[in-house]
Amino acid sequence: KKKIAIMTSGGDAPGMNPAVRAVVRAGIYHGCDVFAVYEGYEGLVKGGDLLKQMEWNDVRNYLSLGGTNIGTARSARFREREGRLLAAYNMIRNGIDALVVCGGDGSLTGADLFRSEWPLLTQELIDTGKLTKKEVEPYKHLTIVGLVGSIDNDMSQTDATIGAYSSLERISEMVDYIDATALSHSRAFVVEVMGRHCGWLGLMSGLATGADFIFIPERPPKAGQWKQELTETCHRHRQKGKRKTIVIVAEGAIDDQLNPISSDDVKQVLVDLGLDTRTTILGHVQRGGTAVAYDRMLATLQGVEAIKAVLEASPEIPSPMIGIVENKIVRLPLMDAVKATKSVAEAIENKDFDRAMELRDSHFAD
Ligand code: F6P
């Protein structure tokens, strides 16, 4: 019987619980044993109670729960070879040789590295007498399948990561709340949103709420000019009779010389314009809470696809990542997507911002 493990890793994202539910149930449906790895990679390294076989009913009600019930962590030990050796040992001891990881690009890169090291790790387990050749024999290859869970929507080649639309919804709702008080006092608000080095949340929430100005890393304004541009735009909108000013700043915002643009910098410009200005840093409210319907659907369809990918895996096929492209659930070579994602950061470092936009997923670039 095939034994498959599911793990959530990196920052939690709404939709991770629905993804776990889908993997557990699709796995059982296809006649497999499914294990949950608790606490991300830490659970693989430690093993024991952190590796738990899941039954159909263990994931009941997971669809409507935010966060990740099986826990997540940024494991320092798994980054070391010693940690990965322990992880391989724990997997083989439990008869597991397939791992579905739901996380961001860092977590998925770790998974692919684990897969490429697997033959060496298992050989070392034999050489050091931890396992016998016979025990290792059935576990020649490790299958890895990636599900992209992140509120940042920062993975290239897929249109949406699990959690991004929930976070976007939350941000839009919060900006609507801010709108009411801003309108009442005729105030300006600087709203800082998450996204790490990706501007998707900033851009899309700005569009969804009709913000006056948006700062995102992929379209940085000119270093010596943005203050004036911001002043002129907000002034013009006020002249048209607007009683509120909303400026969205992605936490990774920069100017075209790569200097960070902070919400304080932006606030000062608005104050200098004579606007009564407040700053709201939305923080982790953007990440918590229940998943919107889109993320539940995405996680469910992708979780089912992940199990199919595990069952069809072979050593010749590179680790797949389950994506969504133009509304179709697809399998893509995981490391290609990770490489393209890394190229965005490189393009930004090289100040090639058009290239950065192009490398983001299709509807972002449009
Ligand atoms: O990657 C998800 C994310 O929420 C980013 O948007 C943010 O920069 C980061 O994680 C915050 O991390 P932490 O929860 O460790 O403060």
Side-chain angles (χ1 to χ4, degrees), residues 94-140:
N94 285 281
I96 303 165
D97 61 356
L99 183 61
V100 180
V101 181
C102 182
D105 60 340
S107 306
L108 300 183
T109 306
D112 196 67
L113 170 68
F114 190 36
R115 166 176 145 145
S116 59
E117 271 185 352
W118 185 260
L120 292 173
L121 294 173
T122 49
Q123 188 56 48
E124 192 169 331
L125 289 171
I126 299 169
D127 294 346
T128 52
K130 301 236 165 47
L131 293 171
T132 64
K133 207 166 175 218
K134 203 164 161 236
E135 283 171 314
V136 171
E137 186 62 22
Y139 307 103
K140 276 213 183 78

Side-chain angles (χ1 to χ4, degrees), residues 11 74 150-152 194-196 251 284 287:
R74 293 180 173 124
S150 169
I151 62 164
D152 301 336
M194 281 187 171
R196 218 179 279 263
E251 62 180 355
H284 289 75
R287 213 163 85 188

Side-chain angles (χ1 to χ4, degrees), residues 169-201:
E169 184 66 35
R170 210 85 69 230
I171 295 169
S172 303
E173 200 181 338
M174 295 303 149
V175 175
D176 288 349
Y177 292 165
I178 289 169
D179 269 358
T181 177
L183 268 173
S184 308
H185 289 264
S186 191
R187 274 178 172 158
F189 273 82
V190 180
V191 182
E192 185 181 308
V193 302
M194 281 187 171
R196 218 179 279 263
H197 305 297
C198 182
W200 188 86
L201 284 173

